[in-house]
Amino acid sequence: MSPNEQAVAKVFALYERFGDADYIGEPVSQIEHMSQAAQCAMAEGFDDEVVLAAFFHDIGHICAEGAENMGGFGVVSHERLGANYLRSVGFSERMARLVEYHVQAKRYLTLKEPGYYERLSEASRRTLEYQGGVMSAAEAEAFEQDPLCTVSLRMRQWDEMAKEMNVPLLDLDILKRKALGLLPKVA
């Protein structure tokens, strides 16, 4: 097995080990949530990096054993833990930043989009308090300048939509092949 195949196997083993766990206060499991988010990205024709960022956006909840908990609603700073984990495996900075930004996007939308907070699930509302709360106007202005802002906001929408019960899982082999294609070639 090549180093890249080992890296992909290691990452997906987390889902095989923890994927059936409840998705923190939502009616779906971790793997159902991740699969649905990736399916949304694929359905909209996004590139493989974005599809995998959508799939991996909450990997910080399952890659950091012993991390601080958000009052029963997952891991504190899961977006940073997940992004750093993906960087350590060899995935791109773009993918890692998209994973990291899904929480910033929630904070941004809570400030900018009327009614967004009310549409959040109870679990998402509770975790917002741990994630810095609603963005300030200055933070929002800085976020808008980031080239990944627009796709991060779309990814946040997929995150909110990816909580439907009884949706068939995406074939993980498809995602594993995409992941292998994105890791840098090693000699």
Side-chain angles (χ1 to χ4, degrees):
M1 194 182 290
S2 75
N4 284 353
E5 289 169 329
Q6 289 174 349
V8 169
K10 176 183 170 185
V11 172
F12 280 87
L14 290 170
Y15 292 97
E16 289 157 13
R17 184 170 168 205
F18 300 112
D20 289 335
D22 285 343
Y23 176 60
I24 321 132
E26 304 290 358
V28 293
S29 68
Q30 289 276 356
I31 194 69
E32 288 171 321
H33 178 63
M34 301 299 140
S35 174
Q36 289 177 38
Q39 288 176 59
C40 289
M42 289 172 72
E44 293 184 25
F46 278 85
D47 63 72
D48 289 351
E49 233 172 15
V50 174
V51 169
L52 284 166
F55 183 77
F56 291 143
H57 77 272
D58 276 341
I59 198 169
H61 287 304
I62 60 174
C63 73
E65 288 189 58
E68 185 183 350
N69 195 287
M70 292 185 286
F73 291 99
V75 172
V76 172
S77 297
H78 76 282
E79 69 281 7
R80 274 190 294 287
L81 293 169
N84 288 337
Y85 176 77
L86 293 171
R87 285 180 186 107
S88 76
V89 173
F91 286 107
S92 72
E93 183 61 21
R94 179 177 179 242
M95 185 191 300
R97 286 179 50 216
L98 286 169
V99 166
E100 193 163 2
Y101 286 0
H102 83 278
V103 166
Q104 297 305 319
K106 177 168 81 170
R107 295 181 61 227
Y108 175 88
L109 288 168
T110 305
L111 172 71
K112 292 286 193 168
E113 189 176 298
Y116 181 76
Y117 179 82
E118 290 73 22
R119 290 193 307 273
L120 289 174
S121 68
E122 182 59 29
S124 284
R125 289 182 197 174
R126 297 281 299 277
T127 57
L128 180 63
E129 300 165 27
Y130 289 93
Q131 296 164 334
V134 177
M135 256 189 191
S136 69
E139 288 173 315
E141 190 174 316
F143 187 57
E144 289 166 350
Q145 302 309 307
D146 193 293
L148 295 177
C149 178
T150 302
V151 73
S152 296
L153 296 175
R154 191 67 203 127
M155 206 164 99
R156 184 69 213 178
Q157 300 295 333
W158 302 328
D159 186 1
E160 297 304 328
M161 295 176 352
K163 298 173 183 174
E164 298 295 321
M165 293 171 39
N166 305 314
V167 174
L169 290 179
L170 186 60
D171 180 352
L172 293 186
D173 285 338
I174 293 169
L175 296 175
K176 289 176 184 178
R177 284 192 298 276
K178 289 180 183 297
L180 265 176
L182 290 176
L183 287 170
K185 305 295 183 245
V186 285

